[in-house]
Amino acid sequence: MAKKRLGEVLRERKHISVEDLDRTLLEQQTTARLLGELLLERELVSKDDLVSALEEAARLRYVDVRFATVEKAALELVPRAAADRYCVLPLVREGKKIVLAMAEPQNLRAIDELKFLTGMDISPRLGFPSEIKEAIEKCYAEIEAQAQADQEQLPFVDQVDISDMQFFTASSSERNKAAMDEFEAELRNEKTPAVRLVSSILASAAKKKASDIHIEPHTMGTVVRVRIDGVMRDLTHIPPELTTSLVSRIKILSDMDISERRIPQDGRFVVQIGQNNLDFRVSTLPTHEGTEKVAMRILDPSATRVGFAQLGLAPENAASLGALLALPQGMILVTGPTGSGKSTTLYSALNLVRSPAVHIITVEDPVEYKIDEINQIQVNTKAGLTFASCLRSILRQDPNIIMVGEIRDTETAEIALQSAQTGHLVLSSLHTNDSVAAITRLLDLNIPGFVIASSLTAVIAQRLVRKLCSCRQEVPVTAEYSSRLLAAGIVDFDNTMFVETGCGKCDNTGYKGRVGIYETLIMDEQIRACIRSSFRDDEIRNLARSGGMKMMQEDALNKVKAGITTIDEVLRVVPFEQATAISRCRSCGKALAPAFLFCPYCGAGTRQVGSGRPVGRAGAHSEGAKA
């Protein structure tokens, strides 16, 4: 059965004459006002008759919004600007639907826009424009007053300046752009809690030098946590009624689909705070409660413009790596777990060697930092652009230096190592526990030992530990501290130690900033011979240590003694099992690996501490002579 028009229904019911209806329709064409509004204004029909006719014509129920119950949760789904623009009033939220009183429920474009904005299905009801506008003014004034009160309870909102913040997003969605413009307009009026909350969270995290922001919805509310110097801590708690609008704001900035909440999404945006640009990589994850967890990685481009010494590399290792980076070919690997600073080390190396005379290409997943004078490629697996396929194409571009974000498979490893043999300097990373384990990892990827030996020039293993704040104190070594060192196999320590105190600069944690602890394996002919001969990890490690390589544990202890960090912080990230079995030559006092029978420095015999065949330099020469 076809729908009837309002005038047709009124005429059939004899609530209006044909002459009055025609005259009112003519007036409607010149004023562009609603027919029902004009009929009421001219007192041509009663309100009850008009409501009954409207319900029949539109097949929708009328709601008198002046006396209707309006839920706060429904109001927060529709910004005030959208309510004014479409003359709608959110009433209640019913599951995945939101009930709206609308002056024009037949306006399909408005319904589509509201569906997109709220991420919910729209269930329209009839309402008169004058009544809806009056209710909008009343209801939104109440929610804005409550939001202002909520903001005053958030500790960080009034402590950070958000007036100089600017947001940049490469949005491809016109709807997202319109929604973002709407949010920005409300930010200027300082009325929308979601806009101010997001801005305050980002500014507070940037001020604290956080590396990550996590928005985690729970039953009783939403917790915002930040990762500072590798350790998570609470930033604030958000009322549950603000969670949806908070997440929507972030998704709009990140060019995500705000109506899609069932699948994970990824995006990014840039925030300019003062003169600094911060890149935010955003990931959303649906939770079992129908909400979304948001994680934002904060990338500061200035972090790549630091030298090796600032990262924490010992002067001798920094000099050695600088010399290796000046070579025309070879491979340098950086190893460590996720979050250990591998990318920062690689980018610092690129900044050291980049110049107009050098052609550098990188292939990354994702491109974390954008660097001038360097050609950076983003991996796109769905489009067939993998690390391996990129490397093949890169070689045709005749680069001097290639950086591969990570070696994940055999094909990538083979091409990268072959590139290092054919006149290219290759930088890359691996997920291994220490430097020697990188060799084993390549062997596990079915790379022949002779290829590794001829291509690899150095392996850097690293971790990040928190640095002591300037409020540190030097105190005598306690009995508990001594026992902990002895339990870790550390017998050589001073009579004093540095401990964290806590002050306003470090948020009373005692730590501020992080520094790397490193283990640098420089390949020489004897180590290459061990790799070709398939020596075990411990044998290669012992040989490297006898040649002067300091393990991460030793580098960490040096930083503890210098008061840079604490033993508690070191033990949190570095195992000490491999560092405990070290002895010294009784003749010259040099450090010896456990399997050595002869001191490689003075040639004196030494008691054998460990087990297995000796692989010291004297041992290696002896085996070579027998052969």
Side-chain angles (χ1 to χ4, degrees), residues 297-357:
R297 178 85 182 276
I298 306 174
L299 302 174
D300 185 356
S302 63
T304 65
R305 297 190 290 270
V306 296
F308 288 148
Q310 292 173 277
L311 294 177
L313 271 167
E316 61 272 16
N317 287 336
S320 298
L321 286 174
L324 292 175
L325 288 170
L327 295 176
Q329 67 182 52
M331 173 181 278
I332 299 175
L333 287 176
V334 181
T335 73
T338 301
S340 60
K342 299 187 299 295
S343 296
T344 301
T345 301
L346 288 172
Y347 279 113
S348 297
L350 290 178
N351 270 307
L352 183 66
V353 298
R354 71 187 177 106
S355 75

Side-chain angles (χ1 to χ4, degrees), residues 210-316:
S211 60
D212 303 270
I213 304 172
H214 294 264
I215 299 174
E216 303 172 347
H218 301 290
T219 304
M220 302 304 294
T222 298
V223 179
V224 179
R225 301 200 295 163
V226 292
R227 190 187 302 276
I228 301 175
D229 297 333
V231 177
M232 296 286 285
R233 67 177 75 164
D234 287 357
L235 181 66
T236 189
H237 291 72
I238 302 298
E241 59 268 18
L242 291 179
T243 301
T244 300
S245 54
L246 183 74
V247 173
S248 295
R249 164 64 170 167
I250 294 171
K251 292 172 73 173
I252 286 173
L253 287 172
S254 310
D255 195 22
M256 298 181 188
D257 185 353
I258 64 173
S259 65
E260 180 57 77
R261 302 178 183 175
R262 299 165 297 175
I263 60 174
Q265 297 187 67
D266 297 302
R268 68 191 306 166
F269 62 91
V270 175
V271 177
Q272 181 178 339
I273 304 177
Q275 299 298 318
N276 298 326
N277 287 340
L278 297 179
D279 194 350
F280 287 78
R281 276 182 19 213
V282 185
S283 171
T284 64
L285 190 66
T287 65
H288 72 286
E289 295 178 346
T291 54
E292 292 175 285
K293 180 187 180 301
V294 180
M296 291 183 279
R297 178 85 182 276
I298 306 174
L299 302 174
D300 185 356
S302 63
T304 65
R305 297 190 290 270
V306 296
F308 288 148
Q310 292 173 277
L311 294 177
L313 271 167
E316 61 272 16

Side-chain angles (χ1 to χ4, degrees), residues 3-4 6 34-37 50-51 53-63 65 85-89 91 98-114 122-129 132:
K3 284 186 178 182
K4 295 181 180 180
L6 174 60
L34 296 177
L35 176 61
E37 186 179 13
L50 180 60
V51 167
L54 280 169
E55 288 182 333
E56 179 180 345
R59 298 179 185 174
L60 294 172
R61 184 165 59 86
Y62 164 76
V63 175
V65 294
R85 183 164 65 246
Y86 298 119
C87 195
V88 301
L89 180 70
L91 299 176
I98 182 171
V99 179
L100 300 177
M102 303 183 66
E104 296 183 82
Q106 74 278 9
N107 188 338
L108 298 181
R109 181 179 179 277
I111 290 177
D112 286 342
E113 291 289 341
L114 291 165
I122 304 300
S123 180
R125 300 288 187 271
L126 285 170
F128 288 117
I132 292 176

Side-chain angles (χ1 to χ4, degrees), residues 40-71:
L40 274 184
E41 188 177 300
R42 303 290 180 268
E43 298 182 351
L44 296 174
V45 295
S46 68
K47 181 177 179 180
D48 289 341
D49 290 341
L50 180 60
V51 167
S52 177
L54 280 169
E55 288 182 333
E56 179 180 345
R59 298 179 185 174
L60 294 172
R61 184 165 59 86
Y62 164 76
V63 175
D64 191 337
V65 294
R66 297 174 298 174
F67 309 107
T69 300
V70 178
E71 291 184 356

